[in-house]
């Protein structure tokens, strides 16, 4: 019951934000977390070229720049709009506690900016932002995990990383 109520509340609160972001951000699996924090898969080059018009001030890209579907000109497209860009290349099959720390530190530094965190399909991004929300922002894991569930159910190395990070911080939560 509590979970259903939380899902209903999130759907009502985030529905207008989600529709607006999805309508303008051409990328797979766009998930607005707040009006100032959005996760997604790889945006198109055209969409990256208009992020400034959507109010974005910073972008964190979590896949290696060498992946086949990366937009090679992403740093330049963003720089032209005076949008800060940082690549934190996380090997999909080997996410680490150091990756969690690196992403969290950047999100802390950019807390007052509108930020897009993306990767290829929003698996890395949704998981890292989940951990940031729970470990740094102290959000309830059940609530923060709803954003991950919109994209995927972490398995393998990602599930292990999430469980280990939560346990290390004394948080008893098992991803579904």
């Amino acid at each position: 019951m509590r979970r259903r109520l939380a899902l209903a509340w999130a759907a009502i609160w985030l529905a207008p934000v989600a529709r607006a972001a999805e309508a303008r951000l051409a990328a797979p699996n766009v998930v607005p977390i707040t009006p100032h924090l959005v996760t997604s898969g790889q945006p198109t080059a055209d969409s990256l070229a208009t992020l400034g018009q959507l109010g974005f001030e910073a972008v964190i890209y979590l896949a290696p720049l060498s992946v086949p579907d990366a937009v090679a000109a992403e740093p330049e497209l963003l720089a032209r709009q005076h949008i800060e860009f940082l690549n934190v290349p996380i090997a999909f099959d080997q996410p680490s506690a150091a990756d969690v720390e690196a992403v969290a530190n950047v999100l802390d530094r950019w807390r007052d900016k509108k930020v897009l965190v993306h990767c290829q399909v929003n698996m890395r991004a949704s998981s890292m932002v989940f951990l940031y929300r729970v470990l740094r922002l102290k959000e309830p894991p059940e609530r923060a995990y709803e954003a991950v569930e919109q994209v995927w159910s972490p398995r393998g190395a990602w599930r292990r990383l999430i469980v280990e990070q939560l346990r290390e911080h004394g948080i008893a939560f098992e991803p579904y």
Side-chain angles (χ1 to χ4, degrees), residues 10-138:
I12 291 167
W13 184 77
L14 288 176
V17 175
R19 281 193 300 274
E22 288 173 4
R24 295 189 245 159
L25 180 59
N29 299 317
V30 176
V31 180
I33 306 302
T34 71
H36 288 90
L37 181 60
V38 177
T39 65
S40 79
Q42 177 66 60
T44 64
D46 288 343
S47 192
L48 288 168
T50 62
L51 283 183
Q53 295 171 19
L54 300 178
F56 286 97
E57 301 166 281
V59 172
I60 304 171
Y61 181 40
L62 300 181
L65 293 170
S66 60
V67 296
D69 60 350
V71 174
E74 182 168 351
E76 293 80 21
L77 290 169
L78 298 174
R80 280 186 217 132
Q81 301 168 77
H82 306 287
I83 296 174
E84 293 188 63
F85 174 77
L86 184 65
N87 178 231
V88 179
I90 300 172
F92 188 78
D93 58 346
Q94 297 177 347
S96 69
D99 295 327
V100 173
E101 187 72 14
V103 172
N105 289 340
V106 174
L107 287 171
D108 277 344
R109 194 169 67 237
W110 289 347
R111 187 174 288 190
D112 295 329
K113 298 181 182 290
K114 183 171 182 179
V115 179
L116 171 64
V117 181
H118 80 88
C119 53
Q120 292 172 278
V121 292
N122 199 1
M123 292 178 175
R124 292 173 181 96
S126 63
S127 299
M128 287 293 171
V129 170
F130 162 76
L131 287 169
Y132 173 73
R133 292 171 65 195
V134 173
L135 302 179
R136 294 281 178 99
L137 301 181
K138 306 301 182 197

